[in-house]
Amino acid sequence: MMAAITNLFRAVTYRGQEGQIAWMLHRIAGVGVFVFLAGHIFDIFLMAFGPDVFDALLFFYHQFFFKLLIIFGLYLGVLYHALNGIRIVIIDFWPGMAKYQARLWRIQLGIFVLAYIPSATIMLSRMFDGS
Amino acid sequence: MNVTLRIQRFNPETDSKPHWEEYPLDVEPSDRLLDALHEVKWHHDGTLAFRRSCAHGICGSDAMTINNVNRLACKVLMGDLGARVTVEPLRGFRIVKDLVVDMEPFFEKYRSIKPYFINYDPDPPTERYQSQEERERYDDTTKCILCAACTSSCPSYWGNREFLGPATIVQAHRFIFDSRDQGANERLEVLNDRDGVWRCRTIFNCTGACPREIKVTQAIGEVKKLLLFNRMV
């Protein structure tokens, strides 16, 4: 545990460049998505205890706060994780692209903003519409 | 210019853990950090321990973490560091004393990839010829001075000390892509291990830390690709 805290301290304080920020966000997004998927598997498991138990959990899922969490947590995390993964795949399969890694990171962020803002806006508007 | 040098100190004989000490200095902007460390050691506190040898960015012995990024103390100018400079030993290695770390695990990994020329053919009567293109193929990775700035900046290495680390892979790259060498398969076997190249997460801290401006992440990527497709890229 102490080693994990030490490494976290190193990662936060070391003055890396774009790649380090991209990696840290990738890890945070990855852990977040994992937690959500684990929860999702757990709620399916609750079906074994009958509809009442499962419906109680669905009630929680339909709460306003949880819907916000889907848009500003899960969706944001999955989109970032996927785009950053594509950037890493590009560099891994074409090592010569490494010299453009900072530019690739900015392009990735641009695509992220272009994809996230309109789709999140649509999701939010539907949420407030009640649909 | 007046600066405050904040140095992480650790004496294994008296301290249970590292602590920080500050030294106010009057330095020239054109002084190197190594000059400032000498000023501390020679005129303020003779117990300060740090490594240095050539003092000209060739031997690689004075790599340390300066203002939270790995650099050679002999290549950094005080004028570029600001009024408050923090200096600490390379991260990820056991501290021997003050800024001196135990480099043995680093060199143990370095030796594991057989960092020397291997050729099983009978010795030729003349030198082994190589075209300019063949020499160019691994030119970048010949520049490594084994300072460990890259390995110590690598989050994968912080998390797993068994990882070979960027410097070792760079050294392997230098011989694997040498057209005269015949030891590539022996080295690739080591690099293909679970603690070999696949621990690299393409973070690029190594490339940013390298004082010789070696394209470290690219070299690692080329070794990965060679392993994946079993052909030179």
Side-chain angles (χ1 to χ4, degrees), chain A residues 9-10 13-16, chain B residues 5-8 20 33 37 50 61-73 76 81 84-93 95 98-101 147-154 158 205 209:
Chain A
F9 178 77
R10 284 176 178 144
T13 58
Y14 189 85
R15 209 153 44 85
Chain B
L5 215 54
R6 188 166 175 264
I7 304 176
Q8 184 178 305
W20 294 92
L33 176 65
L37 290 172
F50 58 91
S61 58
D62 63 352
M64 48 191 78
T65 304
I66 302 160
N67 283 351
N68 290 313
V69 68
N70 288 355
R71 294 281 181 263
L72 295 183
V76 179
L81 291 175
R84 192 173 170 81
V85 182
T86 63
V87 185
E88 55 187 301
L90 288 177
R91 301 175 182 194
F93 297 111
I95 302 172
D98 296 335
L99 302 175
V100 177
V101 294
C147 65
C150 58
T151 298
S152 162
S153 73
C154 175
W158 299 337
N205 274 6

Side-chain angles (χ1 to χ4, degrees), chain B residues 94-117:
Chain B
R94 183 181 68 83
I95 302 172
V96 177
K97 188 184 179 193
D98 296 335
L99 302 175
V100 177
V101 294
D102 180 10
M103 297 284 281
E104 185 47 35
F106 174 79
F107 285 112
E108 187 184 334
K109 292 180 178 66
Y110 166 62
R111 287 189 291 267
S112 73
I113 52 91
K114 303 182 180 178
Y116 42 82
F117 182 68

Side-chain angles (χ1 to χ4, degrees), chain A:
Chain A
M1 187 62 185
M2 270 309 292
I5 292 170
T6 305
N7 286 333
L8 183 64
F9 178 77
R10 284 176 178 144
V12 171
T13 58
Y14 189 85
R15 209 153 44 85
Q17 296 168 342
E18 295 87 353
Q20 177 167 329
I21 299 164
W23 164 74
M24 287 176 68
L25 293 175
H26 193 80
R27 284 296 165 102
I28 292 167
V31 169
V33 172
F34 170 77
V35 168
F36 183 85
L37 283 176
H40 196 48
I41 291 168
F42 178 72
D43 69 52
I44 299 295
F45 160 75
L46 286 183
M47 271 184 164
F49 296 94
D52 292 342
V53 177
F54 186 67
D55 286 349
L57 195 73
L58 282 188
F59 172 76
F60 174 69
Y61 280 1
H62 287 136
Q63 296 307 302
F64 184 76
F65 171 76
F66 198 87
K67 287 181 178 177
L68 282 181
L69 203 64
I70 296 277
I71 300 170
F72 294 108
L74 178 67
Y75 177 51
L76 189 137
V78 167
L79 187 63
Y80 175 82
H81 202 79
L83 289 173
N84 195 55
I86 291 169
R87 183 181 67 92
I88 292 170
V89 166
I90 289 171
I91 295 168
D92 272 350
F93 278 90
W94 292 276
M97 294 297 283
K99 59 176 170 284
Y100 303 115
Q101 65 103 5
R103 196 178 300 171
L104 282 174
W105 159 247
R106 288 193 288 272
I107 291 171
Q108 173 197 331
L109 288 184
I111 294 172
F112 176 82
V113 169
L114 287 175
Y116 181 75
I117 290 180
S119 48
T121 306
I122 293 168
M123 289 163 83
L124 271 176
S125 63
R126 289 193 177 170
M127 201 174 106
F128 284 108
D129 287 348
S131 56

Side-chain angles (χ1 to χ4, degrees), chain B residues 176-177 228:
Chain B
I176 289 169
F177 289 89
L228 198 59

